[in-house]
Amino acid sequence: MRFDNRNAMRVRMDHRHTVNLMGIDGTWKRSCVLLDVSETGAKIEVEGTLEVLQSKEFFLLLSSTGLAFRRCELVWIDGTMAGVHFITAATKRAKAVAGQLSALTGSRPTQGNK
């Protein structure tokens, strides 16, 4: 199902699916509910303070054992809801190239529709 003018197909969760966010260095952990997910990102409802989400990158732990996870970055916050973008090797390379090009041309890189 497509909604919110997104490029990737999203799957809405019909039942409450509890997952966790964890800092890259493991110093913090937050419980949250996965509301929808796609190949490129997810929408979550965070329990507790959202201040820890200001970290540049963090993990979304999809299983209770931590064996299924995605590296993410925060895209938006609205109340207790947050949108995260999954970071892959390809997206890291694309950002690095865009940064190098913007440094050469003096322009700012633009982000595509997530």
Side-chain angles (χ1 to χ4, degrees):
M1 169 188 300
R2 288 188 196 273
F3 52 93
D4 295 333
N5 295 323
R6 299 188 181 273
N7 293 332
M9 297 295 288
R10 293 243 163 190
V11 175
R12 284 190 184 171
M13 306 310 242
D14 290 333
H15 301 286
R16 188 174 176 87
H17 186 74
T18 303
V19 295
N20 287 295
L21 300 177
M22 184 176 74
I24 294 290
D25 59 1
T27 58
W28 60 267
K29 189 174 179 182
R30 272 299 165 272
S31 180
C32 59
V33 176
L34 187 62
L35 301 174
D36 71 47
V37 66
S38 76
E39 185 178 317
T40 60
K43 179 179 175 182
I44 55 176
E45 183 174 9
V46 181
E47 298 173 2
T49 180
L50 298 174
E51 291 175 13
V52 293
L53 293 183
Q54 300 307 319
S55 303
K56 184 175 176 83
E57 295 179 9
F58 47 89
F59 289 112
L60 175 63
L61 305 176
L62 300 167
S63 70
S64 59
T65 61
L67 295 176
F69 63 91
R70 296 290 179 267
R71 192 172 190 151
C72 345
E73 61 186 348
L74 181 68
V75 177
W76 58 266
I77 295 178
D78 184 11
T80 61
M81 308 285 190
V84 298
H85 174 73
F86 299 146
I87 299 171
T88 63
T91 59
K92 284 188 96 56
R93 278 193 303 274
K95 281 187 177 184
V97 168
Q100 290 171 349
L101 288 175
S102 67
L104 292 173
T105 63
S107 64
R108 297 180 67 197
T110 60
Q111 288 185 326
N113 190 12
K114 306 241 186 278

